[in-house]
Amino acid sequence: MALIELTGIERVFQLGDSEVHALTALDLSIGAGEYVAVMGPSGSGKSTLLNLLGLLDRPNAGTYRLEGRDVTTLSPDEQARVRSERIGFVFQSFHLVPRLTAAENIALPMTLAGIPVKERNVRVARALSGFGLENRADHRPDQLSGGQRQRVAIARATIMQPALILADEPTGNLDRHTGEEVVNLLEALNASGVTLVVVTHDQAMGARARRQLVMEDGRLKHDSGQPAHAPA
Amino acid sequence: MRLPDILRFARDAATGYPMRTTLSVLAMSIGVAAVVILTALGDGARRYVVGQFSSIGTNLVIVLPGRSGTGGFNPANAITTTPRDLTVDDAAALHRASAVSRLAPLTVGTSEISFGGRLREIIVAGSTSDFIPIRNFEVAQGRGLPEEDWNRGSSVAVIGSKIREELFGNEPAVGQLIRVGDRRLRIVGVLKPVGQGLGMNTDELVIVPVSLAQAMFNSNTLFRILVEAKSREAIPEAKEQVMEILKQRHRGEEDVTVITQDAVLATFDKLLGALTLGVAGIAAISLAVAGILVMNVMLVAVTQRTGEIGLLKALGATARTIRLAFLAEAAMLSTVGAVVGYLLGQLGAFGLRQAFPVFPAYPPDWAVIAGLSTALITGLLFGVMPARRAARLDPVQALMKH
Ligand SMILES: Nc1ncnc2c1ncn2[C@@H]1O[C@H](COP(=O)(O)OP(=O)(O)O)[C@@H](O)[C@H]1O
Ligand SMILES: [Mg+2]
């Protein structure tokens, strides 16, 4: 069974009098544990697709099955729960809370989920050492380098042990070397079984993924992993 | 999200923007402090006046010559327009009233006192032996006026403490002969100092027998008759009886006014109570203004933290969690503001009491409770709108604002 199954997805934005078809007739299936790069020109609908996958947005038509369950019809609270437990986000601009320390930022998803402090502390300590941030636990985001910030963001995205990590141009704000490190981290996570969907402009980085999706004008123009036969 | 976490999150958010937070806390605290200080002033005034009125005597019924404006049309009054004067005999007749325990006629005028070449202006009160106890005055040296026939006053006087001091210094005053107007009087007693009270300053008073005073001022009318009822419950009855007796003596005309201390007290109590309520109301407006300020601050916070709200949603926060976090922040701002304002207000009231020791400037409990709860409620109410706005934000749009 596929982790993600999109069928007939449409996403239309109303811009004044005109309609923008950000996603059109999109069918897509992603299996558990896959490593997928989403590429394509700017405005082709990559972010819109990722937002839909992350349940931050709803399609105008079509169905989205996540782990076999139709999640488009869930209530906002149920969707929040799915985001909390199954999905981790990594953003281009890191999106750390400026007044919270690195440790507090990493703990934030657990805090929101109501996990007890003790458990939180154990998991945060593990994450800090896992991402090489032991000495940065009490630093605020403005005291961290870009690479460190993105590492904090990745630690935060994984702290709830999600099945799916969605990264929208995670290296867009980083230099080549630091970007490399971040990609390595994400790939290591994928190697441990987490499904990884990365939006990227970078051809080289896209090429590292086992499967490439190329978007154009809201349509899926190319899918390197499209199996000739339907997946089991 | 657990409650302690929500509170901590709200606290960090509030302290993360010190300027904003300080401003709204300040506004709220000024509002609460205003309520506390203004009601302390209002209620202090009420207590002060009531206290002063209570000190002029207990269960007092006071008779004034002349009809007061209230009351229905009386044909008897329509015929004779000039009211009869009150006389000493009128006062004496009031002994018949069963609800009256004791009474004293009172006539008042100004004169000069002289002793050993020293001369000064004084107020002369002409009355009888019961005047001093009825008015709750106390005699420091000697005795009060003698019990005697009201129409044949002996040539004696009781003087106030300040007069004694000025005329006699350290020498004994009791037994000395003084001159008041054209009379030579022997001092039989000196009053204890009481200071400035409502009405006359007893420290500069000379009390003489009523008939003597009337002779001095060449008049046979009275300024007042002070009547003491047997008990608090007997006050209305005493008033009734006094009115009835004087009406009989004045050929059926109700040409006197009888007021009770209770009624005067109640009137002042009500008046000043209303005043306090009024200033509390005005102060409450500043609380509402503070509430609106808190709302604006929270709206700004929502705008400022739009990206953060989007992030929280992406990380799995429900709308309820976000609402609670922002409400908690608004509640915190107004709670801290209310507490700071309460302390400031109490400090202000304390300062007032230090500056004016006779003035009991204590804020009434109801005002403190009302002020604090208004602050909290307006803070919460005005926090609801921004909190809901935050919870309703579209996560995708919100995330783009970063
Ligand atoms: N909220 C929105 N309102 C209107 N149009 C939007 C909105 N979000 C995206 N779009 C439009 O949808 C299209 C796809 O956008 P997006 O998914 O952000 O592209 P990409 O991430 O590939 O650059 C673009 O034409 C964009 O202008
Ligand atoms: Mg994009």
Side-chain angles (χ1 to χ4, degrees), chain B residues 81-244:
Chain B
T81 46
T82 45
R84 260 164 207 271
D85 294 327
L86 277 176
T87 64
V88 171
D89 289 339
D90 283 337
L94 296 182
H95 277 128
R96 284 203 332 251
S98 59
V100 169
S101 67
R102 50 190 178 178
L103 59 94
L106 176 64
T107 184
V108 173
T110 57
S111 184
E112 280 173 354
I113 186 170
S114 65
F115 174 79
R118 268 162 292 198
L119 193 81
R120 68 161 290 170
E121 186 106 334
I122 48 153
I123 296 168
V124 175
S127 192
T128 58
S129 57
D130 281 339
F131 176 66
I132 290 174
I134 287 177
R135 278 297 315 270
N136 286 347
F137 296 155
E138 281 178 80
V139 177
Q141 294 140 32
R143 354 174 229 100
L145 293 179
E147 304 234 10
E148 60 185 345
D149 184 344
W150 287 5
N151 289 313
R152 280 190 42 244
S154 39
S155 297
V156 295
V158 176
I159 62 172
S161 63
K162 191 164 176 206
I163 294 170
R164 186 204 65 79
E165 206 174 292
E166 288 182 11
L167 294 187
F168 301 99
N170 292 327
E171 288 164 46
V174 176
Q176 298 282 10
L177 274 175
I178 49 167
R179 179 172 285 280
V180 175
D182 54 356
R183 305 283 166 142
R184 288 177 69 78
L185 307 176
R186 189 171 299 282
I187 294 174
V188 293
V190 178
L191 292 176
K192 263 194 188 166
V194 287
Q196 185 66 54
L198 209 71
M200 46 183 136
N201 186 348
T202 54
D203 295 350
E204 297 177 54
L205 197 64
V206 172
I207 305 170
V208 302
V210 62
S211 56
L212 203 70
Q214 286 185 329
M216 254 156 67
F217 301 131
N218 199 15
S219 119
N220 49 19
T221 67
L222 291 179
F223 174 61
R224 297 279 187 272
I225 304 173
L226 305 181
V227 178
E228 190 183 79
K230 282 196 165 129
S231 67
R232 203 182 157 81
E233 292 70 42
I235 290 175
E237 201 186 339
K239 181 181 175 179
E240 198 92 345
Q241 291 172 346
V242 164
M243 203 65 176
E244 193 50 42

Side-chain angles (χ1 to χ4, degrees), chain A residues 51 56-57 77 80-81 83-84 89 91 93 95-97 99-100 104 108-109 111-116 120 156, chain B residues 1-2 5 8-9 12-13 16-17 305 307-308 311-321 394-396 399 402:
Chain A
N51 290 335
L56 294 175
D57 198 9
D77 278 2
R81 200 185 155 94
R83 282 199 296 271
S84 164
F89 290 94
F91 306 96
S93 51
H95 272 300
L96 299 178
V97 180
R99 62 178 177 280
L100 300 183
E104 287 168 335
L108 194 52
T111 310
L112 291 170
I115 290 173
R120 276 176 357 214
R156 181 181 65 192
Chain B
M1 200 168 176
R2 291 159 178 256
D5 288 327
R8 220 159 54 89
F9 189 84
D12 291 348
Y17 300 87
R305 304 220 301 266
E308 177 187 322
L311 170 76
L312 292 178
K313 289 195 160 183
L315 297 183
T318 57
R320 183 171 168 273
T321 297
D394 172 46
V396 176
L399 275 169
H402 196 70

Side-chain angles (χ1 to χ4, degrees), chain A residues 11 13-15 20-23 40-49 51 168-169 199 201 215, chain B residues 394 396-397 400:
Chain A
R11 184 67 178 102
F13 291 109
Q14 204 73 41
L15 256 184
V20 179
H21 290 260
L23 293 177
S42 183
S44 58
K46 306 183 296 292
S47 295
T48 306
L49 172 62
N51 290 335
D168 196 347
E169 305 196 30
V199 169
H201 267 116
M215 308 270 308
Chain B
D394 172 46
V396 176
Q397 298 287 328
M400 288 196 303

Side-chain angles (χ1 to χ4, degrees), chain B residues 264-306:
Chain B
V264 175
L265 260 179
T267 305
F268 268 100
D269 206 24
K270 240 166 54 189
L271 201 78
L272 291 162
L275 182 87
T276 307
L277 211 63
V279 295
I282 291 170
I285 293 174
S286 69
L287 277 180
V289 172
I292 291 170
L293 198 97
V294 167
M295 175 169 75
N296 276 299
V297 160
M298 290 312 296
L299 283 175
V300 169
V302 171
T303 312
Q304 237 172 16
R305 304 220 301 266
T306 299

